[in-house]
Amino acid sequence: CRIRMLPATLNKIRKGQIEKGDVLAAARLAAVIAAKKTPEVIPLCHPIALAGVEAELKLRRDCIDIRTQVKTVDRTGVEMEALMAATAAALTIYDMCKSIDRGMVIEDTQLELKSGGRSGTWKRT
């Protein structure tokens, strides 16, 4: 997932000058919580025991790239949990920075790689 914003907004995030607090820490926390709560939000998405949730945030010139990875020991995929995690991280960034930049755009939320489960491995080409 990616959230585009003004370079000035990104500079404030880098310098820790966002009024609501540490944007990156809050986004990582939101990703973990969202992955765990996915079955409560997505209809017909069944609960899965998660073995790990990671959220990597890379600050660029005019955006933050968000990459999430979710793992389970169950015999099913956790792509919905990963997509939910990435989206929640982006929405958290938006919420924390909207007072200075309402023009932010969330884009490119997509599955890159899935392994395990009945359908096996899938990779975006």
Side-chain angles (χ1 to χ4, degrees):
C1 186
R2 172 175 295 131
I3 182 165
R4 292 203 175 279
M5 62 192 68
L6 296 170
T9 306
L10 205 49
N11 285 334
K12 286 185 181 246
I13 292 171
R14 277 192 179 98
K15 293 177 182 177
Q17 297 175 336
I18 300 298
E19 190 175 312
K20 287 188 170 185
D22 187 337
V23 173
L24 303 179
R28 285 186 194 97
L29 182 58
V32 173
I33 293 168
K36 291 179 177 186
K37 301 277 187 181
T38 299
E40 296 175 29
V41 178
I42 306 295
L44 307 178
C45 189
H46 59 283
I48 299 172
L50 302 181
V53 179
E54 297 175 19
E56 179 184 343
L57 302 147
K58 288 188 179 179
L59 283 68
R60 308 289 187 194
R61 185 183 63 79
D62 65 347
C63 68
I64 298 175
D65 288 336
I66 303 163
R67 181 180 177 272
T68 57
Q69 182 174 8
V70 179
K71 295 181 182 180
T72 185
V73 293
D74 285 347
R75 297 180 60 177
T76 186
V78 284
E79 56 266 58
M80 292 308 299
E81 287 76 4
L83 292 166
M84 183 76 139
T87 303
L91 288 168
T92 298
I93 293 166
Y94 186 95
D95 179 57
M96 293 184 75
C97 299
K98 68 186 177 204
S99 66
I100 59 170
D101 187 356
R102 291 204 186 265
M104 291 176 284
V105 175
I106 297 170
E107 59 189 17
D108 296 336
T109 302
Q110 61 191 27
L111 183 67
E112 293 294 329
L113 172 69
K114 180 219 171 270
S115 62
R118 283 192 321 216
S119 61
T121 298
W122 181 88
K123 183 175 183 175
R124 183 171 300 282
T125 53

